[in-house]
Amino acid sequence: MELSALQIIWFALLAVLWIGYLTLEGFGFGTGMLLKILPRNEKERRLALNTIGPHWDGNEVFLLTAGGATFAAFPEWYATMFSGMYLALVAILICLIIRISAIEWRGKISSDSWRNLWDNLHLGVAWVVTLIWGVAFANLVQGTKIQVGHYTELGGQFVPADPAAIDAALAAGDRHFLTGGFVSLFTPFTLVGGVVFVLLFLTHGALWLAIKTKGDFSERAIALAKKLSLASTGLTAIWAVWGQFAYRGQAWGFIPLVLAAVALIASTLVIQKGKDVQAFLFSFAGLAFAVVWVFSTFGANALKSSVDPAYDLTLVQASATSPTQTVMLIAAIVFVPIVLGYTAWSYKSFAGRLGVEHISDEPAGLDPKKVRAFANA
């Protein structure tokens, strides 16, 4: 069956949502990964966190919406991916909960040990989540060990369908399953993809801190971004070319691939000259085009099979009904502009640069010795 206009629109909308999440939370996670590397003292750590404070929770809306839209527009895609990558996705969920707690709770108690605990947790989960996202998206490019079939009632043995008769098997009740298990998600290509995401987010975070702060802190962020950008751009280029040629990349995928390369190279060049704002904008564009390239590798598929192309989960097979997608599209037309509007407004409202002089010398939080006595109430 041919893809319908609604299916193409929703596939494109999902790409837009992931662009929003990865470009915006990219610098949020990058800031978290640098929390104990770039800042030299408590005031500088508070300064770094204040740069993402007004934005991080709004950025998470893109992730929630992407998950919900996948569930409603392509339920079979959602079911196959979430069941097959269950452990990884649960790990991401736990890490995101810890990150929220670290951001919100570190300033509640005036204690160095309390703040260090949450800062270390924030640092750790930022690295872990970024790595997992990289491995996950690399699996979407490479393809996973997906097969069509069913499990026997006695013994739970998987019985794969005949690759030459997939339509008949699906009609008979067979489904797509990730049969390779959790370990199959880790290959040389996907592990490199995880490192690529780490380097890209570190660079993006350093550039964000450079444009959102001033003085010595901003200069140190620029100096770090100069080094990181060289490594992230070089490794990203190798990984993307590898994926384009090795894993059924579409011919038109060279367009976003080249645009991503141009943007990342431009970011690397201009940051060497100390032009932090331009470098951040180029980095933003590079990440956006990189996401477009990832989605271009799907072709007409939601999930590619590394076992046999006949086992691919196509967008048509994964799709919800046309009435469902029509109702969702009406809602998207109303609410997506609102989300984009308040996101743009929030960034415009907090567009200024911060310095350590804006951070109070008074320690934040309650006296830990008096908390239980409610003496601070």
Side-chain angles (χ1 to χ4, degrees), residues 4 6-7 10 73-74 319-329:
S4 69
L6 278 171
Q7 290 165 348
W10 272 106
F74 299 101
S319 179
T321 62
S322 293
T324 299
Q325 292 184 339
T326 300
V327 172
M328 288 176 56
L329 184 60

Side-chain angles (χ1 to χ4, degrees), residues 24-25 27-28 31 46-61 99 103-104 208-209 212 342-352 354:
L24 297 176
E25 276 295 74
F27 63 72
T31 298
R46 289 170 61 186
L47 173 64
L49 289 170
N50 282 354
T51 66
I52 63 172
H55 308 299
W56 69 267
D57 48 354
N59 296 340
E60 292 293 331
V61 171
R99 178 174 180 252
I103 294 173
E104 294 292 341
W208 169 256
L209 291 172
K212 290 298 296 179
Y342 80 64
T343 300
W345 172 83
S346 69
Y347 280 92
K348 182 179 179 181
S349 299
F350 297 96
L354 299 172

Side-chain angles (χ1 to χ4, degrees), residues 141-142 189 236-255 257-258 293 296-297 304:
V141 174
Q142 171 191 261
F189 180 77
T236 301
I238 295 171
W239 179 76
V241 171
W242 180 4
Q244 177 68 19
F245 284 101
Y247 300 111
R248 291 189 270 161
Q250 304 297 303
W252 70 270
F254 279 103
I255 298 174
L257 180 60
V258 170
W293 170 75
S296 78
T297 64
K304 296 189 296 186

Side-chain angles (χ1 to χ4, degrees), residues 71-94:
F71 172 77
F74 299 101
E76 191 69 18
W77 184 0
Y78 181 95
T80 305
M81 182 169 61
F82 273 65
S83 60
M85 300 181 180
Y86 182 78
L87 290 177
L89 293 170
V90 168
I92 288 177
L93 177 61
I94 293 173

Side-chain angles (χ1 to χ4, degrees), residues 8 14 37 97 124 141 146 158 200 231 235 252 256 283 310 345 355 374:
I8 295 173
L14 285 175
I37 298 175
I97 292 172
V141 174
I146 291 175
F158 181 75
L200 285 174
L235 187 60
W252 70 270
S283 176
W345 172 83
F374 298 98

